[in-house]
Amino acid sequence: MGLFDRDVESSLDEMFDLNRDGRIDFAEEALEFEYLEREIKAEELGVDASELDDLDLDELQDLEELRDLDLEDMDEDELRDALEDAGYDPEDFDF
């Protein structure tokens, strides 16, 4: 039992209690935080978490830049230009 160990408190904790001792140690908690961070990042980018592995660094940066733009306030031409600048084909999207 380590200094920072804590009891399993949720089903998410149970998923990361790898040694099934009813306690979450530092390494197990680090894995849990990494999982949550990945899920949050995928949600922010509007992709499934499993798709993050398929995207390279440039594609991730493009998605982040698109997310930072206020797409709702753009007219159709501005939106097409933003998608083209990010490397996407505007014809693949419905406006």
Side-chain angles (χ1 to χ4, degrees):
M1 178 186 295
L3 179 62
F4 296 106
D5 289 1
R6 63 177 176 80
D7 291 331
V8 170
E9 299 171 352
S10 67
S11 57
L12 184 65
D13 286 348
E14 287 177 12
M15 189 168 85
F16 288 97
D17 183 16
L18 303 177
N19 58 3
R20 302 291 182 229
D21 64 352
R23 308 222 7 113
I24 298 292
D25 63 29
F26 189 72
E28 293 167 335
E29 191 161 22
L31 288 173
E32 186 175 354
F33 282 130
E34 182 179 340
Y35 170 80
L36 290 172
E37 181 180 25
R38 185 174 178 75
E39 290 293 320
I40 290 169
K41 183 71 164 178
E43 185 176 322
E44 287 175 352
L45 295 174
V47 296
D48 187 63
S50 62
E51 293 177 38
L52 288 178
D53 294 333
D54 297 334
L55 299 173
D56 64 23
L57 189 58
D58 290 335
E59 290 173 319
L60 281 175
Q61 186 175 3
D62 291 342
L63 283 173
E64 287 178 354
E65 288 173 8
L66 275 178
R67 185 195 69 215
D68 292 339
L69 295 174
D70 196 1
L71 300 177
E72 293 176 359
D73 293 336
M74 292 183 177
D75 64 23
E76 190 173 325
D77 291 330
E78 291 174 324
L79 189 54
R80 286 181 181 281
D81 290 340
L83 288 169
E84 285 176 357
D85 291 344
Y88 295 97
D89 183 4
E91 301 302 319
D92 292 339
F93 296 89
D94 294 327
F95 298 106

